[in-house]
Amino acid sequence: MGFSVLKCREAFILLIMNIEKYVHQIWLAAICILLLMGLFMPVGQFSNEEGATALLTNFRMNYIEGTHGSGMWALAIIQIVALGVSIFELLLSGFRNFVLQKRLIVFVALLLVGYYIVYGVYVLLAKGDASFVPLWAASFPLISLILCYMTFHGVQKAEADIIARASGFRLRD
């Protein structure tokens, strides 16, 4: 009984050590989940003095009367591309191609910054005399941007760890 508990404890410690080396994969999975959830949720609400409201989603503007404007698709395209690159990055992270991983993370971060630029332009163009309130789903790309930063440093740490282990081994002359 004590032997199996000891083996389970050792296996758990090994798992924790490997998670610490490749924690960037967890951050990548969180980025993918956040971008997927935020894709279908409203990101802002417009309201005017007469009481009319409209929800801004990544795909369109939904008015309270049931009509919708379909000119707001650029936010969705940017988020879909960022999600696709993040999923590719997650799949690539098992192959230890660190240079490509870091480049893709920077690309995703630039896409997310571009998302907020387009978001701001849409809000300024559609606002008029209405008041605008951002909804909490609008923060998902920002959280993903922070996770991109953490992922970048996690990839650098994993790369440094592998290089340190590889240079510690030396063949005889």
Side-chain angles (χ1 to χ4, degrees), residues 4-147:
S4 64
V5 171
L6 184 61
K7 284 192 95 54
C8 288
R9 182 174 178 244
E10 289 174 6
F12 181 72
I13 290 172
L14 257 162
L15 176 71
I16 295 298
M17 289 174 59
N18 282 337
I19 286 176
E20 183 178 309
K21 288 179 191 173
Y22 297 105
V23 72
H24 64 276
Q25 292 174 337
I26 296 171
W27 302 137
L28 279 170
I31 290 169
C32 293
I33 291 169
L34 282 172
L35 289 177
L36 185 64
M37 285 176 26
L39 190 61
F40 300 106
M41 300 176 76
V43 293
Q45 180 177 1
F46 292 99
S47 60
N48 61 9
E49 292 84 24
E50 291 100 32
T53 60
L55 287 176
L56 174 65
T57 65
N58 287 317
F59 292 98
R60 62 182 173 231
M61 178 92 71
N62 295 329
Y63 298 102
I64 196 71
E65 297 88 22
T67 61
H68 53 54
S70 61
M72 305 289 189
W73 50 267
L75 291 173
I77 296 298
I78 293 171
Q79 202 161 356
I80 288 170
V81 170
L83 176 63
V85 173
S86 298
I87 290 172
F88 178 71
E89 169 80 23
L90 184 60
L91 296 173
L92 182 71
S93 65
F95 293 105
R96 296 181 180 169
N97 189 349
F98 296 113
V99 174
L100 183 58
Q101 286 182 26
K102 289 189 282 188
R103 288 179 183 169
L104 288 174
I105 292 168
V106 169
F107 181 62
V108 170
L110 290 174
L111 282 172
L112 294 174
V113 168
Y115 175 86
Y116 279 110
I117 291 171
V118 172
Y119 180 70
V121 168
Y122 275 171
V123 168
L124 290 175
L125 289 176
K127 186 175 177 185
D129 62 346
S131 64
F132 177 75
V133 176
L135 299 177
W136 61 280
S139 67
F140 288 172
L142 180 65
I143 296 168
S144 296
L145 188 63
I146 293 167
L147 290 174

